[in-house]
Amino acid sequence: HLPASARVEDLPSVKRLTFTPDASTPPVSFWRALATAAPRLERIDAPNCAWTSLAGIDVLPLVKHVDAKGNSLEEVAILASEKDSGKKKKKENATIRVLDVSHNKLEEHLDLSTDERALRNVVAFVASHNENLRSIDVAALSSLETIVVSHCALSELPTNLPAEHLRKLSASTNSIKSIKPLLSNEPFGNLTELRLSHNLIKRVPASFGEACPSLELLEMTNNRIGSWNDVGDALKTLRRLLRVSLKGNPFTEDTDKYPRVVMAGCPTVTHIDNTAVPGRAKPTHQRGKDWVEKQRAAGVVPEKRNKRVQKDGRNRRDDEDGKRTTKEEPHPPKKKRKKERRQQDGGAEGAVEFRDDPSSTAIPAATSDEIGEPSRQRELKMRVIQNKNRSKAASSMPAGAAALRAALKTTGIQSW
């Protein structure tokens, strides 16, 4: 929205453009003019308009987000044709990352291959609430991470899903009978969320766990799964599953037995039908050592590396079992150490005095009887070691430095 006082000169700084409801479909010439006038435009919002086409949006150099929900689109045609442009078609920018075409009138069989060059970088595609949509091929969306096609008339899952990038898939409230597209040769290693509620699924093959090893959330409520064996073999192999929802299926009618069966078969699950499992579901900051060990044994939490960490002034090291052990006991406070030292020295505070001059052989202020024989021997030994170190330093010192030190001694300075 631009204020009434807006000028054409203000368009170069615009990054988001919102169309008013019931706006008609912009021609390709409009998008080309907009690409020149607003080169920094990144987002286009056109909800509840009367658009029938998206052709020409690909000419915008930096557009990343296109929201076209609630229109009258029958297809996702973004590329501008040469006939519409009136001149040779330029190279597509392929900058669109998020595309929302929900609540439209998409055709029964949606094929996005014709716009592959403009949609190859899309990571989120939303096409929910399209009542006529029965099948969709997303091979053109090679970078897709999130796809939402719920509340449609799909008879099967979208085909040619990118196994390498896909993270979230939502296809609830359709007429899907199987999950065969997910059981391809290449596993969906990054898929963490799968929502397939309100469909016609009767069985989940045991190979599902190998096809989606990283799955953390599974929603399959109100399907036609008749027994735990039709889904249990698959769930037992999901080592990272945390949330599962299966209510509304025929085998869940026994509300007392059903949760216990799921808990016994899925040791990593923390929530069943959005209800926390006692003893498992804890906030992250309250998860104790036992819970972490169970998750680590199940492969959810990676093994702890053997590394040193500094905490509370103490050096710690992780042993082979992953348990932290104290390498050395913490030192007592400084005042307490001084007090203990005075007690060991017989209470003679400040009795021994060291001098920095290596040639000095002055006798300490206190006698051996006052200090104690063990303490006296320790102090004499320390003095011998200190004198040896200073002699070595003086012998390795350059001539100029030695002369400077001799000159400093004549002035009464003992150390420098």
Side-chain angles (χ1 to χ4, degrees):
H1 292 280
L2 296 177
S5 60
R7 299 173 301 173
V8 178
E9 291 78 4
D10 298 332
L11 287 177
S13 61
V14 174
K15 294 186 177 181
R16 181 172 179 175
L17 184 63
T18 303
F19 289 80
T20 57
D22 300 328
S24 58
T25 305
V28 177
S29 58
F30 167 79
W31 297 119
R32 295 194 177 277
L34 186 62
T36 304
R40 298 183 181 180
L41 191 62
E42 297 181 356
R43 175 164 179 167
I44 296 175
D45 292 333
N48 303 317
C49 295
W51 288 13
T52 58
S53 174
L54 298 176
I57 292 183
D58 63 299
V59 301
L60 298 175
L62 298 179
V63 64
K64 299 178 181 179
H65 191 128
V66 177
D67 184 358
K69 59 176 174 283
N71 284 273
S72 300
L73 301 176
E74 296 183 358
E75 59 180 357
V76 183
I78 293 180
L79 297 179
S81 63
E82 297 182 10
K83 180 179 179 181
D84 293 334
S85 61
K87 54 183 178 179
K88 187 177 180 179
K89 183 172 59 175
K90 296 183 180 180
K91 184 179 179 180
E92 295 79 14
N93 295 305
T95 59
I96 299 176
R97 305 280 290 175
V98 180
L99 179 60
D100 187 349
V101 290
S102 58
H103 295 273
N104 275 276
K105 301 178 181 179
L106 296 180
E107 57 189 359
E108 293 185 2
H109 306 286
L110 183 62
D111 187 2
L112 303 175
S113 59
T114 56
D115 296 271
E116 181 177 2
R117 291 171 295 178
L119 301 177
R120 62 177 180 268
N121 291 326
V122 171
V123 297
F125 179 72
V126 182
S128 58
H129 294 275
N130 283 278
E131 299 178 355
N132 299 327
L133 185 60
R134 297 184 180 275
S135 65
I136 177 173
D137 187 349
V138 295
L141 308 179
S142 56
S143 301
L144 189 64
E145 296 180 3
T146 301
I147 179 172
V148 181
V149 286
S150 57
H151 296 273
C152 296
L154 296 177
S155 58
E156 60 179 0
L157 287 173
T159 56
N160 296 318
L161 291 167
E164 181 180 359
H165 304 285
L166 190 64
R167 297 179 180 274
K168 299 179 182 181
L169 170 59
S170 178
S172 301
T173 316
N174 283 282
S175 300
I176 299 173
K177 296 182 180 181
S178 70
I179 58 173
K180 187 177 180 179
L182 294 177
L183 306 178
S184 59
N185 296 330
E186 185 178 1
F188 290 80
N190 293 320
L191 184 63
T192 58
E193 297 183 12
L194 180 61
R195 293 177 169 86
L196 297 174
S197 300
H198 298 275
N199 279 285
L200 306 176
I201 300 174
K202 296 181 179 180
R203 181 176 177 272
V204 179
S207 59
F208 175 70
E210 299 178 358
C212 306
S214 302
L215 197 66
E216 298 178 0
L217 183 147
L218 177 62
E219 292 184 0
M220 299 188 69
T221 61
N222 295 286
N223 276 272
R224 297 185 179 181
I225 302 175
S227 65
W228 167 250
N229 294 331
D230 294 336
V231 68
D233 295 339
L235 298 186
K236 291 177 182 179
T237 59
L238 294 173
R239 305 295 298 275
R240 299 188 178 184
L241 188 64
L242 299 178
R243 292 175 173 266
V244 60
S245 297
L246 299 172
K247 64 180 180 180
N249 288 280
F251 83 96
T252 64
E253 294 179 356
D254 189 347
T255 57
D256 295 333
K257 181 179 178 181
Y258 152 63
R260 293 197 299 268
V261 172
V262 177
M263 286 189 291
C266 305
T268 61
V269 170
T270 60
H271 290 77
I272 300 177
D273 298 335
N274 296 325
T275 302
V277 177
R280 296 187 188 179
K282 296 181 180 179
T284 304
H285 64 281
Q286 294 181 0
R287 291 175 181 174
K289 184 177 179 181
D290 296 339
W291 186 91
V292 174
E293 292 298 335
K294 290 181 181 179
Q295 299 298 308
R296 184 179 292 122
V300 179
V301 180
E303 292 294 336
K304 191 176 297 183
R305 294 179 298 176
N306 186 14
K307 63 179 182 179
R308 293 185 64 178
V309 295
Q310 190 75 15
K311 185 178 181 182
D312 298 332
R314 298 193 294 178
N315 293 327
R316 294 170 177 259
R317 184 181 292 276
D318 298 334
D319 58 10
E320 296 178 357
D321 298 331
K323 299 179 180 180
R324 284 186 175 179
T325 57
T326 304
K327 183 181 178 182
E328 56 185 7
E329 294 298 329
H331 294 290
K334 189 174 182 180
K335 292 183 178 180
K336 186 176 181 180
R337 296 201 304 269
K338 287 184 176 181
K339 184 177 180 180
E340 293 176 353
R341 190 178 302 167
R342 288 196 300 268
Q343 293 176 356
Q344 294 176 0
D345 294 342
E349 182 176 0
V352 180
E353 178 183 359
F354 288 101
R355 298 191 179 184
D356 294 333
D357 187 359
S359 61
S360 176
T361 58
I363 299 176
T367 63
S368 60
D369 295 336
E370 296 173 337
I371 300 176
E373 189 61 27
S375 178
R376 174 63 175 169
Q377 293 177 359
R378 183 174 65 254
E379 300 297 347
L380 291 176
K381 185 177 180 180
M382 292 175 61
R383 175 185 292 180
V384 172
I385 295 174
Q386 187 178 19
N387 290 340
K388 286 183 178 180
N389 293 337
R390 287 191 176 131
S391 298
K392 291 180 181 180
S395 62
S396 62
M397 192 179 303
L404 179 59
R405 181 165 186 170
L408 290 173
K409 287 181 180 179
T410 60
T411 62
I413 299 177
Q414 300 298 328
S415 62
W416 60 285

